[in-house]
Every structure is written in C-alpha cells, then in structure tokens.
Amino acid sequence: MSKEPRKQAKGLAKAFKKMSHGKKGGTKGTFTAAATKAGHPDTSEGRKAFANQVLNDSDASTKMKRKATFYKNIISKD
C-alpha cells in the first residue's frame, strides 16, 4: 500500500479535528436562558415574546438583537 493515501487520510483527519474545536459550552442556549431569566416561560411563544421585546428595546445590546433576529427568522419559523 502506498503512503500517499494514508498521508491524505491523516491530513483530512487533522483538518476535521481542527474544525471541531472540542470545547465544551459555547453560546448554545443563551437566548433561551436570557428569556427564562427575564421571566418568560420556557416555550416557543415565550421566546418569541422575548425576541419581540428585545427587538423593540433601544437599550438592548447588538449581540442580543442579533440573537433575537436569528430566533425569529430561523428557529421559530411558522
């Protein structure tokens, strides 16, 4: 067996390992957590109401507004 295919396979494995950073945590669930902390129920309707509240609030951070927009446009498509 040639060493070239094995070298390519190792290169691919290394690239995939690099792409999946393997860190625990991240930002998954932060919008839901913020909605729950703000007193909204842990339901789709509650998160939609929170998204509307965030988008209408002029003092909300840009990051939270982006999360709210993403939730309304992508996650809660009806």
Side-chain angles (χ1 to χ4, degrees):
M1 183 174 190
S2 160
K3 288 190 177 193
E4 188 60 34
R6 185 172 286 197
K7 188 176 181 182
Q8 287 176 343
K10 282 185 178 181
L12 284 173
K14 188 176 180 181
F16 278 112
K17 188 174 182 180
K18 226 179 201 182
M19 284 191 296
S20 65
H21 49 80
K23 295 179 188 173
K24 300 276 182 184
T27 59
K28 185 175 182 181
T30 56
F31 185 76
T32 302
T36 305
K37 191 173 182 180
H40 293 276
D42 192 14
T43 62
S44 180
E45 291 78 23
R47 289 186 292 272
K48 283 181 193 176
F50 180 64
N52 288 328
Q53 179 184 347
V54 168
L55 292 173
N56 291 329
D57 184 11
S58 61
D59 293 332
S61 69
T62 306
K63 193 171 190 177
M64 188 54 76
K65 285 189 177 194
R66 286 180 184 164
K67 289 179 184 182
T69 303
F70 181 77
Y71 184 81
K72 282 188 70 173
N73 292 337
I74 306 298
I75 296 174
S76 69
K77 264 190 161 176
D78 286 334

